[in-house]
Amino acid sequence: MTALLELAGVAKRFGGFTALADIDAGFAAGEIHCLLGENGAGKSTLCNLAFGIHAPDEGELRIDGAPYRPEGPRDALAAGIAMVHQHFSLVHDMPVVDNLMLGQARGILDRKGFAARLEALGAEYGLSLSPFARVGDLSIGERQRVEIVKCLMREPRLLIMDEPTAVLLPDEIGALLKVCRAVAERGCGVVLVTHKLAEIKQVADRVTVLRGGRVVARSEDPAGEIDSLVRAMVGREFGGLDSLAMRNLGMAAEEEGRAQPAGGDGADAGGRPRTPEAAQFDGLTVRDAGGATRLDNFTLIVRRGEIVGVAGVEGNGQSELGDVIAGLAHPDSGRFHAAGRDLTRARPAEITAAGVGVVPEDRHRVAAIVEMGLTENLFLNRTKGFTRFGLMRRGAMRAAAEDQMARFDVRAAGPDVTFGSLSGGNQQKAVLARELTTPGLTFLLAAQPTRGLDVGAVESVYRMIREACGNGAGVLLISSELDEILAVADRVVVLYRGRIVGERPAHPRYRAEIGAMMAGHAADTPPAGPGGGADVDAPPAAGEAA
């Protein structure tokens, strides 16, 4: 294909760090070109160069063979390049049509005209939206549509999409990929940044793989070369890929023999004796400051040696559940027991002392102090073990940190570097290292443990979680990535509007049913897994939080 946008010998440095080096790449009209690479490989930097956010230090960008050096996004838009960022840039208190007019309308505002254009684009691409709906009232998937339509209204020649499916329902992901194909078929080039191999297999015409800021592989047959592309991405043979990471990225074959619903009292469906309880949730209910119910009668038992996945679109009570387990919030009613102790209103230190590990969904806000060193963050929950006569034994803590780094493959220049200087994957491994070595670990909460991580880090994180489960801990895995839950968990409960609305074994055959429940379609049968769940046939209460 003839390249619309070309990069020739491009390099970009940030201080002493080289983000991109000697990049040669071309993106053509009418194709879907996927960028694949680990965190820190340079994918976002490349996209930001194309969109004018950064300028190259070396090399040249060309459009239609002519030099292209944008001084900002305005120049990129004028050249026909639009970008859908991973984090939305919408004004929640404004209607959809007003958001679309921002930066595009001139002179007298023609809201009806923009609304008509919105409806026409929606019909053409299957992106239906209500023009006068308030953005803050839309679902995550609908907000994603607004971002895409905002770009399509500019009639771009090249559309860059950075991790666009990270927050979408399974059905919404499929719909978005169809939009990508429709956009490409109308002659627009699409650059899709994704970590999900299933998406590459489904829609990619070409793939460029980045590692360490350099192009290490290209493919014009991505569906047939997935294994070699992943090996190129991580720079090694990926021994655990087919058994774990490939499954949790949606590439599973229809594997049989996954965990089945429980049978009679004291045994599971296979006749094996049930293990003791690791944690029990009895009617947990949480209301926000405005009185809206965020978590509604959450009832569940997690047994030792099992992983229970909590599926659901973000904002359906998962954060409130995690805060209660971590001791950061108290429920309005209900109880939470773990390791045989009532921890409903316990302080975080008491929860740790009871043998509960907590990997929160926001590692920067809750799980770490990014300005402090890696060593201190590895032992935030048990610094008393390194004190003597009231003084900190920093040498002993540093030696223990080095052991943890080796054991959990936390890669850094040394234990004294600041936590914030680590890559996302290494930050997450450090948090897991701390929580998985909680003395007497009985129960582990892992909330969104792979958010923003690449395939190599995902494999490492889930291997650690499975090992903890194998050592007898019960695990509650909260994730918006359904494919990951199906690959790692033993059974799945679905949260919708704060309630458990269904339970299924974690098997690919139940993917469609679970996805439907995530979208608000109530389960047609009650759960039958170990420990049971809430009254799942009851519909969500009207007027509660979406």
Side-chain angles (χ1 to χ4, degrees):
M1 294 183 178
T2 301
L4 166 66
L5 173 68
E6 296 176 272
L7 289 79
V10 167
K12 180 62 183 176
R13 291 179 289 274
F14 297 95
F17 173 70
T18 300
L20 293 174
D22 197 27
I23 297 293
D24 293 324
F27 305 98
E31 71 165 356
I32 299 176
H33 194 137
C34 288
L35 291 180
L36 179 64
E38 294 185 286
N39 291 109
K43 304 184 302 298
S44 293
T45 301
L46 191 156
C47 292
N48 288 334
L49 286 174
F51 195 54
I53 295 174
H54 301 314
D57 294 309
E58 296 176 11
E60 185 181 33
L61 279 71
R62 295 188 289 265
I63 288 183
D64 295 328
Y68 167 65
R69 196 176 181 90
E71 296 184 359
R74 183 184 297 273
D75 292 344
L77 291 169
I81 298 177
M83 184 169 175
V84 177
H85 299 273
Q86 185 174 357
H87 302 289
F88 300 157
S89 56
L90 302 172
V91 182
H92 286 197
D93 292 331
M94 292 174 60
V96 170
V97 67
D98 289 4
N99 271 272
L100 298 177
M101 290 192 295
L102 288 173
Q104 300 194 58
R106 297 289 185 273
I108 299 175
L109 300 181
D110 182 9
R111 299 177 84 231
K112 290 185 178 180
F114 267 84
R117 290 178 61 194
L118 166 61
E119 291 172 346
L121 280 171
E124 183 178 0
Y125 292 102
L127 294 166
S128 59
L129 287 166
S130 176
F132 300 101
R134 178 178 170 271
V135 166
D137 296 331
L138 302 180
S139 69
I140 296 293
E142 288 171 327
R143 293 179 200 175
Q144 180 73 275
R145 288 183 219 164
V146 177
E147 291 280 9
I148 295 171
V149 169
K150 187 167 68 174
C151 289
L152 293 179
M153 274 192 164
R154 296 181 178 274
E155 299 181 355
R157 302 176 65 200
L158 184 69
L159 178 62
I160 301 172
M161 307 181 75
D162 188 5
E163 301 276 0
T165 64
V167 295
L168 300 184
L169 283 165
D171 288 346
E172 291 174 332
I173 292 173
L176 177 62
L177 297 180
K178 289 180 180 178
V179 170
C180 291
R181 177 54 61 196
V183 170
E185 288 176 351
R186 285 162 175 77
C188 178
V190 177
V191 178
L192 179 65
V193 178
T194 180
H195 288 141
K196 299 178 181 179
L197 305 181
E199 295 173 11
I200 290 176
K201 186 173 182 179
Q202 184 174 343
V203 300
D205 296 311
R206 288 198 293 158
V207 169
T208 295
V209 181
L210 298 178
R211 187 175 77 242
R214 296 179 179 273
V215 175
V216 294
R218 309 176 200 270
S219 174
E220 296 187 2
D221 180 24
E225 299 176 349
I226 286 290
D227 290 346
S228 62
L229 291 173
V230 174
R231 283 193 293 272
M233 181 181 74
V234 299
R236 58 183 170 85
E237 288 295 324
F238 214 44
L241 186 61
D242 55 353
S243 62
L244 177 59
M246 286 291 279
R247 290 207 308 273
N248 66 38
L249 288 164
M251 299 298 293
E254 286 296 318
E255 179 197 5
E256 299 296 328
R258 300 288 292 168
Q260 299 298 318
D265 291 341
D268 65 15
R272 297 179 294 271
R274 288 185 180 178
T275 56
E277 294 178 7
Q280 179 177 343
F281 306 89
D282 184 11
L284 285 184
T285 298
V286 176
R287 298 182 181 88
D288 63 17
T293 301
R294 296 296 179 179
L295 190 66
D296 186 4
N297 192 32
F298 184 87
T299 300
L300 182 71
I301 289 174
V302 180
R303 299 190 177 275
R304 300 192 64 152
E306 77 162 342
I307 299 177
V308 179
V310 178
V313 180
E314 292 183 49
N316 278 276
Q318 300 96 321
S319 296
E320 290 75 13
L321 175 61
D323 286 347
V324 169
I325 296 172
L328 300 176
H330 299 318
D332 292 278
S333 61
R335 315 296 296 177
F336 160 48
H337 291 77
R341 297 175 55 179
D342 186 344
L343 301 176
T344 308
R345 295 185 176 274
R347 293 180 293 109
E350 296 171 329
I351 291 170
T352 297
V356 176
V358 177
V359 180
E361 63 182 11
D362 189 337
R363 57 179 172 264
H364 287 169
R365 183 176 66 87
V366 179
I369 302 175
V370 295
E371 296 83 5
M372 291 179 65
L374 172 58
T375 294
E376 289 81 0
N377 275 281
L378 282 169
F379 300 106
L380 280 176
N381 59 354
R382 49 186 185 276
T383 55
K384 290 184 179 179
F386 297 95
T387 59
R388 186 176 184 183
F389 304 120
L391 299 176
M392 190 72 69
R393 298 165 53 226
R394 294 196 172 275
M397 182 184 285
R398 191 179 191 280
E402 290 176 336
D403 289 341
Q404 294 284 64
M405 291 172 66
R407 177 181 173 187
F408 292 94
D409 191 31
V410 180
R411 302 177 188 180
D416 300 323
V417 301
T418 61
F419 185 87
S421 67
L422 302 179
S423 69
N426 283 301
Q427 289 181 1
Q428 193 72 342
K429 285 189 283 186
V431 172
L432 276 162
R434 182 184 67 220
E435 300 304 318
L436 291 176
T437 54
T438 298
L441 181 67
T442 300
F443 174 64
L444 175 71
L445 165 69
Q448 311 293 351
T450 62
R451 175 179 285 161
L453 303 187
D454 57 66
V455 63
V458 167
E459 182 209 25
S460 181
V461 164
Y462 279 129
R463 183 186 296 115
M464 294 179 194
I465 292 174
R466 292 299 297 176
E467 287 176 356
C469 178
N471 290 331
V475 179
L476 188 68
L477 170 63
I478 299 175
S479 177
S480 56
E481 295 288 348
L482 178 55
D483 291 317
E484 294 184 2
I485 289 179
L486 292 177
V488 179
D490 299 302
R491 57 191 173 102
V492 183
V493 297
V494 180
L495 268 184
Y496 179 72
R497 293 186 176 178
R499 299 198 71 185
I500 295 179
V501 295
E503 178 178 328
R504 293 291 184 269
H507 189 285
R509 74 163 72 97
Y510 297 106
R511 190 180 191 279
E513 292 181 43
I514 294 170
M517 287 187 277
M518 288 170 64
H521 300 286
D524 53 1
T525 57
D535 179 11
V536 301
D537 290 323
E544 292 174 8

